[in-house]
Amino acid sequence: MNIAICDDEQRYITKVKEDLVALQSYEGEFAFFEFKTGRELILDFTAGKYALIILDIQMKGLNGVETARFLRDIDEKVIIIFLTSYEKFACQGYEVRAFRYILKNQPHSIYMKQLSDAVHEYYRNTRYVIATADGSTKEEKLPTDDIMYIEVFSHKLLIHAKKGNYFTKGTLSEIETQLSDLLFARLDKSSIVNITNIDYIRKNEIILTNGDTLFASRNHIKNIKQCFMDYSRSRWS
């Protein structure tokens, strides 16, 4: 797992590395790459090269947010974390879809949990299901974070994904069990939704990040709202 750390103060780079090493499940799980400026990171960056990028917001030249804009244009999936001493910059992270905003001076237990959450987010995003694209006969690995929602369709499962529709065999209960440790929730008796791809909720309408609107049954809307609220809060807690 490649991790880039960009901070103009070496002591913070060293500290983050040491703290992440403490989270390793095995020796050498993480490979670290150090950068002192946003420009250095941008010149080195290519899509898919890094799993996680930790950026100081206040740096000379390009600041963290400006750097993140360049990175996000190149790689939609890379996990970005902002590390800073000032809480006032937190709202700027939304525009580049930062996973976390971590204060350097917060309690160590909270700080470590946020780093741990980022690592778990990466592994969650590398999960996949085996499915066949609509109009194809070839099975492929579909990343679970690309799934918008899944519904029962003509004795199969129709997967609505970011890049199109897919089909897979099995029942909704079976795939729900397969995805039980991920953020999926029931819409009704015949469909489930990926909480991470919800944009907002209005009454019983679920508006997804791609603009699609789904409707949740009365029996399930309360749970979906709670899951979405918990997920949204976790991004910035």
Side-chain angles (χ1 to χ4, degrees):
M1 179 177 176
N2 290 342
I3 300 175
I5 306 171
C6 185
D7 197 308
D8 55 7
E9 295 188 65
Q10 181 62 44
R11 62 189 177 116
Y12 285 119
I13 293 178
T14 301
K15 183 181 186 310
V16 171
K17 284 175 60 177
E18 291 174 349
D19 292 332
L20 282 167
V21 166
L23 295 174
Q24 288 187 140
S25 300
Y26 54 88
E27 187 176 353
E29 180 181 7
F30 306 146
F32 298 102
F33 299 82
E34 301 179 14
F35 303 91
K36 291 293 182 63
T37 68
R39 179 176 173 79
E40 288 179 9
L41 174 56
I42 289 170
L43 290 175
D44 172 81
F45 189 76
T46 55
K49 182 171 183 177
Y50 297 109
L52 173 63
I53 295 176
I54 300 174
L55 278 169
D56 182 26
I57 284 189
Q58 289 190 297
M59 296 185 292
K60 295 177 181 179
L62 290 174
N63 65 33
V65 176
E66 292 168 335
T67 302
R69 289 195 191 107
F70 281 98
L71 306 182
R72 187 57 80 204
D73 285 342
I74 298 170
D75 192 331
E76 291 185 353
K77 293 187 176 183
V78 64
I79 297 171
I80 296 174
I81 285 181
F82 286 130
L83 187 65
T84 184
S85 302
Y86 301 97
E87 191 172 357
K88 64 181 179 179
F89 295 110
C91 62
Q92 298 182 34
Y94 286 102
E95 63 179 285
V96 291
R97 304 192 306 282
F99 177 72
R100 282 289 192 279
Y101 176 91
I102 302 180
L103 293 174
K104 294 178 178 179
N105 57 354
Q106 67 184 321
H108 186 70
S109 60
I110 297 176
Y111 162 82
M112 289 299 291
K113 182 182 183 304
Q114 291 176 320
L115 289 180
S116 177
D117 286 349
V119 173
H120 289 143
E121 176 77 356
Y122 167 72
Y123 286 120
R124 185 185 69 79
N125 288 346
T126 58
R127 292 273 297 277
Y128 60 85
V129 297
I130 301 298
T132 303
D134 190 14
S136 173
T137 58
K138 183 180 180 181
E139 290 185 333
E140 59 182 275
K141 294 179 179 179
L142 177 65
T144 54
D145 63 318
D146 282 347
I147 297 173
M148 307 302 289
Y149 64 103
I150 304 172
E151 62 178 331
V152 177
F153 181 82
S154 187
H155 305 293
K156 292 183 179 181
L157 294 176
L158 171 57
I159 302 175
H160 299 266
K162 292 178 180 178
K163 55 183 180 180
N165 293 335
Y166 290 76
F167 289 93
T168 190
K169 298 177 182 179
T171 66
L172 193 65
S173 294
E174 288 171 343
I175 199 163
E176 192 174 24
T177 299
Q178 180 183 343
L179 303 174
S180 61
D181 60 330
L182 303 180
L183 292 171
F184 284 79
R186 282 265 182 173
L187 285 166
D188 51 41
K189 64 181 181 180
S190 61
S191 59
I192 58 176
V193 64
N194 187 345
I195 297 295
T196 67
N197 286 324
I198 293 176
D199 191 12
Y200 63 95
I201 299 174
R202 180 179 55 217
K203 294 184 178 180
N204 71 327
E205 296 181 340
I206 313 299
I207 293 80
L208 303 181
T209 53
N210 65 355
D212 287 354
T213 299
L214 308 175
F215 294 89
S217 70
R218 191 187 327 181
N219 292 335
H220 296 287
I221 186 62
K222 183 177 180 180
N223 179 59
I224 289 176
K225 286 181 176 179
Q226 187 62 55
C227 290
F228 180 62
M229 188 180 301
D230 291 344
Y231 170 71
S232 300
R233 286 174 175 170
S234 74
R235 308 289 284 192
W236 296 95
S237 61

